[in-house]
Amino acid sequence: MRKYNIAVVGATGMVGRTFLKVLEERKLPIDNFYVFASARSAGSTLMFQGKEYTVLELNENSFKDYQVDIALFSAGGGTSLKYAPIAAESGCIVIDNSSAWRMDKEVPLVVPEVNASDILKHKGIIANPNCSTIQAVVALNPLHRAYSIKRIIYTTFQAVSGAGMGGYNDLSEGLKGNPPQKFPHQIAGNCIPHIDVFLENGYTKEEIKMVEETRKILNDQSLKITATTVRVPVFDSHSESINVEFNKSYDLEDLIETLKSGEGLIVQDDTAKEIYPLALNAAGQDEVFVGRIRRDESVDNGVNLWVVADNIRKGAATNAVQIAQWIIANDVIQ
Ligand code: A2P
């Protein structure tokens, strides 16, 4: 079986370290493995498959020099903007976790459970969607296919780990009474309705990412979508309230069955036993969990869902590694 040279860019970061974990768990056929970061952490070491790897400083020649076949990037938008085209130029396929390339028409935006075959349209860069969007579309795709979604209202409750190591530190230090370094306000004991920067229309960039990325992944520009994204004092896993209105009428039992057979989706919904998806339970898991499934009685064909997933795993690292697995399984690299 063919083996691949795989690199992780941003390997010392929150998502980067999880790339290593998930690559190890899923036993990808790796020939040579490389870990890159900035000059700050070059020379430090990371463990992978029981071996110590020295962190290398990323530069223009990294991909060519090491003949990298697949590179998983999570080192911020600036690094992706600069280095992803350089990597692609040298014949490497980049799976990029930043928002830099997601809305580029030439770049597929992929959640394997939804639109894996879009990978075949790649020109060297494949974008991994925003964490909040990934878990939402895993739940929404089977419903869109069955009942044709007209409108979506997202409200998110996002973990601090979505802001990387800095976000994690703000919550743990905030709990000890120390001031925030990463967020604009104290997150401990608080909810901050502000993720990423504010845009002219009053929305945050995070909210607009959810709107635009959902349309691109579900391949339906007609979807009406609005979003409010909120940072909450939770370490791991994003929770989302999703209100959906369909064009077609539906039967609630059928809708629940549709969700139960959804790929990568687990229904946890037994309110009599106080069973519903919880951030703490989703942490460390690769699936998306859905519960509190109930008819929205204020409209004709509406439903409310509570959707939870580990934002660093399914919302980032797992999704990217699944894309790499699909590339390998389908011999995308000649
Ligand atoms: P470093 O450890 O050298 O700073 P997080 O989002 O969790 O803070 O992680 C960001 C990741 O991106 C880290 O691995 C960080 O490396 C890496 N990174 C940041 N800037 C660069 C850069 N210019 N080149 C390569 N890696 C970078």
Side-chain angles (χ1 to χ4, degrees):
M1 190 195 187
R2 176 168 174 196
K3 290 189 169 179
Y4 295 82
N5 293 341
I6 293 188
V8 172
V9 176
T12 50
M14 186 77 82
V15 174
R17 286 171 193 271
T18 312
F19 278 149
L20 267 63
K21 232 187 271 175
V22 179
L23 284 167
E24 199 166 78
E25 289 166 7
R26 296 187 168 224
K27 300 187 171 59
L28 271 74
I30 298 176
D31 190 3
N32 296 298
F33 186 65
Y34 304 100
V35 285
F36 294 102
S38 78
R40 284 184 295 275
S41 50
S44 63
T45 57
L46 290 170
M47 292 301 289
F48 180 71
Q49 293 182 333
K51 259 180 70 182
E52 213 170 55
Y53 285 83
T54 301
V55 176
L56 305 168
E57 182 182 352
L58 186 68
N59 66 49
E60 270 99 349
N61 299 317
S62 302
F63 306 95
K64 200 177 272 168
D65 286 354
Y66 296 108
Q67 298 183 345
V68 178
D69 297 308
I70 301 174
L72 304 174
F73 273 55
S74 191
T79 307
S80 295
L81 273 179
K82 176 168 178 196
Y83 290 100
I86 295 173
E89 186 63 30
S90 74
C92 169
I93 299 184
V94 172
I95 304 168
D96 181 34
N97 192 51
S98 82
S99 61
W101 297 97
R102 288 181 191 149
M103 297 314 297
D104 188 307
K105 286 198 169 53
E106 302 291 314
V107 174
L109 182 65
V110 176
V111 175
E113 290 86 343
V114 180
N115 62 338
S117 60
D118 283 355
I119 290 171
L120 296 172
K121 298 180 198 155
H122 85 89
K123 297 194 166 105
I125 305 173
I126 296 163
N128 212 34
N130 172 269
C131 43
S132 306
T133 312
I134 292 178
Q135 68 185 68
V137 297
V138 168
L140 293 176
N141 181 54
L143 299 182
H144 190 38
R145 304 296 151 225
Y147 310 114
S148 171
I149 294 174
K150 180 160 74 178
R151 179 167 189 240
I152 303 166
I153 303 171
Y154 288 130
T155 310
T156 69
F157 306 75
Q158 298 186 214
V160 294
S161 53
M165 296 286 192
Y168 227 82
N169 290 339
D170 261 21
L171 179 54
S172 50
E173 289 301 313
L175 289 169
K176 296 180 211 154
N178 293 321
Q181 308 274 326
K182 177 82 185 177
F183 299 125
H185 304 280
Q186 178 182 317
I187 185 65
N190 216 354
C191 293
I192 307 176
H194 172 187
I195 302 181
D196 210 330
V197 295
F198 280 106
L199 305 173
E200 266 180 20
N201 62 1
Y203 281 75
T204 61
K205 199 167 162 202
E206 182 81 354
E207 289 159 352
I208 298 305
K209 282 181 212 163
M210 287 195 81
V211 172
E212 292 180 341
E213 293 179 23
T214 298
R215 290 190 184 129
K216 180 164 174 178
I217 300 162
L218 294 179
N219 191 24
D220 189 342
Q221 292 301 320
S222 75
L223 293 173
K224 292 179 191 298
I225 309 173
T226 189
T228 302
T229 58
V230 183
R231 188 75 67 191
V232 296
V234 165
F235 283 107
D236 298 298
S237 305
H238 290 351
S239 304
E240 299 177 350
S241 160
I242 307 183
N243 176 271
V244 192
E245 210 180 326
F246 302 110
N247 288 308
K248 297 183 188 167
S249 62
Y250 73 90
D251 171 83
L252 189 60
E253 290 310 311
D254 288 345
L255 182 145
I256 293 170
E257 285 310 309
T258 302
L259 288 171
K260 280 184 179 161
S261 53
E263 204 186 327
L265 199 54
I266 296 179
V267 173
Q268 290 179 329
D269 199 4
D270 188 348
T271 49
K273 293 190 179 139
E274 299 175 348
I275 292 173
Y276 28 73
L278 290 170
L280 281 177
N281 296 343
Q285 309 293 318
D286 283 330
E287 293 84 6
V288 174
F289 301 88
V290 56
R292 299 293 324 279
I293 305 161
R294 62 207 190 280
R295 189 174 285 280
D296 172 358
E297 294 172 341
S298 70
V299 291
D300 283 341
N301 307 311
V303 73
N304 282 305
L305 309 172
W306 178 249
V307 176
V308 181
D310 186 322
N311 55 302
I312 301 294
R313 290 185 70 100
K314 182 55 190 164
T318 301
N319 196 74
V321 174
Q322 283 176 299
I323 294 171
Q325 287 181 293
W326 199 95
I327 288 170
I328 291 169
N330 292 279
D331 268 332
V332 175
I333 299 173
Q334 298 308 317

